[in-house]
C-alpha cells in the first residue's frame, strides 16, 4: 500500500495528532449546526447532504477509482463508516438525550481494542484498556444527566452505530490504501458509496426535500466541506499514521467540543462533577496517544508478514508504515 510516515520525532507526531483531532472536533459542532441551520426533522436528508456532495467533490479532485479488490473494500468501508453509520447515529441522536448518546460513543476505544485482537492480531496494553474505561467514565460525568430517558430503539441504533464505526476504524488500519491512491481518494470512495446508498433511504423515509433556505445552504456547506470532506480525510490519515487505537481515543474530543459549544453558544454552565469528567476525558485522550506495551498474538506466516508493520499494541503510537493485508 502507499503509506506515509509520521513526521520526524515528537513534533511530527504531535502535528498528526492535532490534525486528526480536528475531525472529531468538527463532529462535536454537528448538533449546534443541525439544530440552528438545517431543516427540522430531516435526519436522512442531512446524512445525504453530508456524504454525497463531499464524496463527489473529492472524487473529482482525486480523479481515481478503486481497482481490483479495492472495489469490494471501498463498499465495505463506505457502508461501515458512512452508509450505515450516518442513519443509525441520527436515529440515536433523535431518540436519546445527547448525554446518553455521547456516553455510548465514548466506548469506541474499548471496541477498537477488542476488534484489534481478532483483526490486527494485537493485544491492547493495560494502559489502553484503562484509558478507555476512564475516558468513557469521564464523558459520562461530563454529559450524562440524572433521569435520562433511555429509548430502546435509540439505544440499539447508537450501539450498533458505534460498533460499526469501530470495525470500520480497525479495517481502515488493516487494509491501509492501495498503491498510488491518496487518502483523499480513499475518503472519496467511502463517501460516494455511503451517499449513493443513503439517497433512496432518504427518499423513502422523508420524501422530497423542502426548498432550502439561506441558513440551510450555510449549514449543509459547513457539514459537507469542513465536517465531512476535510474531517474524514484527516481522520483516515490519523488512523493510518497513528494506529487504530490512538486515533479512536481522539473521538473523545467530540463530546468535549459539543460541551464547549453549549457553554459558549447556549450559555450553559458546568458543575463540579462535569469539570471532573472533563479532566478525566482529556487525561484519557492524552494517555491513549502514548506508546503502549501490548503484545502481538501468534500469527500464521502469511498474516504475520502482512501485519508486521502495524503497531505492537492498540494504544501504541510509534510511527510505522502500514501494509496491505
Amino acid at each position: 500500500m502507499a503509506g506515509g510516515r509520521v513526521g520526524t520525532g515528537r513534533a511530527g507526531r504531535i502535528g498528526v495528532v492535532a490534525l486528526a483531532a480536528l475531525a472529531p472536533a468538527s463532529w462535536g459542532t454537528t448538533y449546534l449546526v443541525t439544530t440552528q441551520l438545517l431543516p427540522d426533522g430531516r435526519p436522512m436528508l442531512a446524512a445525504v447532504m453530508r456524504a454525497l456532495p463531499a464524496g463527489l467533490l473529492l472524487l473529482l479532485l482525486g480523479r481515481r477509482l478503486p481497482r481490483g479488490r479495492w472495489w469490494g473494500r471501498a463498499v465495505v468501508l463506505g457502508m461501515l463508516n458512512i452508509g450505515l453509520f450516518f442513519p443509525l447515529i441520527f436515529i440515536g441522536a433523535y431518540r436519546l438525550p445527547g448525554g446518553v448518546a455521547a456516553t455510548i460513543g465514548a466506548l469506541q476505544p474499548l471496541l477498537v481494542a477488542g476488534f484489534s485482537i481478532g483483526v490486527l492480531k494485537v493485544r491492547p496494553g493495560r494502559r489502553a484498556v484503562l484509558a478507555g474505561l476512564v475516558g468513557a467514565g469521564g464523558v459520562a460525568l461530563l454529559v450524562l444527566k440524572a433521569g435520562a430517558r433511555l429509548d430502546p430503539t435509540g439505544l440499539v441504533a447508537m450501539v450498533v452505530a458505534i460498533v460499526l464505526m469501530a470495525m470500520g476504524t480497525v479495517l481502515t488500519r488493516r487494509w491501509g490504501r492501495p498503491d498510488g491512491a491518496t487518502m483523499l481518494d480513499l475518503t472519496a470512495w467511502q463517501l460516494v458509496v455511503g451517499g449513493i446508498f443513503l439517497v433512496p433511504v432518504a427518499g423513502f423515509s422523508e420524501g422530497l426535500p423542502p426548498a432550502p433556505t439561506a441558513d440551510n445552504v450555510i449549514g449543509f456547506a459547513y457539514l459537507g466541506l469542513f465536517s465531512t470532506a476535510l474531517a474524514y480525510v484527516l481522520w483516515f490519515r490519523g488512523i493510518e499514521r497513528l494506529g487504530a487505537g490512538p486515533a479512536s481515543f481522539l473521538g473523545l474530543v467530540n463530546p468535549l467540543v459539543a460541551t464547549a459549544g453549549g457553554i459558549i453558544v447556549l450559555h450553559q454552565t458546568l458543575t463540579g462533577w462535569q469539570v471532573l469528567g472533563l479532566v478525566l476525558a482529556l487525561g484519557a485522550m492524552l494517555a491513549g496517544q502514548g506508546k503502549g506495551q501490548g503484545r502481538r498474538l501468534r500469527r500464521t506466516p502469511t498474516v504475520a508478514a502482512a501485519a508486521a508493520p502495524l503497531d505492537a499494541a492498540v494504544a501504541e503510537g510509534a510511527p510505522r508504515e502500514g501494509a496491505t493485508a
Side-chain angles (χ1 to χ4, degrees), residues 172-189:
T172 298
R173 176 61 175 171
R174 180 72 171 114
W175 289 338
R177 50 190 165 95
D179 292 331
T182 66
M183 195 54 63
L184 184 148
D185 297 321
L186 182 63
T187 306
W189 302 340

Side-chain angles (χ1 to χ4, degrees), residues 115-166:
F115 287 140
S116 294
I117 296 175
V119 178
L120 301 181
K121 305 302 180 184
V122 294
R123 180 173 296 158
R126 292 180 180 177
R127 182 168 65 182
V129 176
L130 180 60
L133 292 171
V134 171
V139 170
L141 286 175
L142 179 65
V143 298
L144 195 59
K145 296 180 180 179
R149 177 175 51 87
L150 301 180
D151 178 84
T153 301
L155 280 174
V156 171
M158 194 69 192
V159 169
V160 173
I162 298 305
V163 169
L164 291 176
M165 189 173 187

Side-chain angles (χ1 to χ4, degrees), residues 278-293:
L278 175 65
V279 172
L280 290 175
L282 283 173
M285 183 188 68
L286 294 175
Q289 303 310 307
K291 294 182 180 181
Q293 299 297 323

Side-chain angles (χ1 to χ4, degrees), residues 21-33 50 222-223 226-227 251-262:
L22 286 177
S26 72
W27 300 334
T29 65
T30 300
Y31 175 76
L32 281 175
V33 173
R50 282 193 66 182
Y222 172 84
L223 290 179
F226 180 68
S227 190
L252 296 174
V253 173
N254 186 325
L256 300 184
V257 170
T259 300

Side-chain angles (χ1 to χ4, degrees), residues 260-280:
I263 294 173
I264 296 171
V265 179
L266 304 179
H267 307 293
Q268 297 172 346
T269 58
L270 292 180
T271 66
W273 285 109
Q274 287 178 305
V275 172
L276 174 61
L278 175 65
V279 172
L280 290 175

Side-chain angles (χ1 to χ4, degrees), residues 19 37 46 77 90 100 114 119 134 138 150 164 190 206 242 246 248 252 279 285 290 302 318 320 324:
L19 286 175
L37 298 175
L77 292 176
F90 272 118
V100 175
V119 178
V134 171
L150 301 180
L164 291 176
Q190 295 183 56
E206 297 176 354
L242 300 173
S248 69
L252 296 174
V279 172
M285 183 188 68
T302 300
R320 302 174 184 229
T324 302

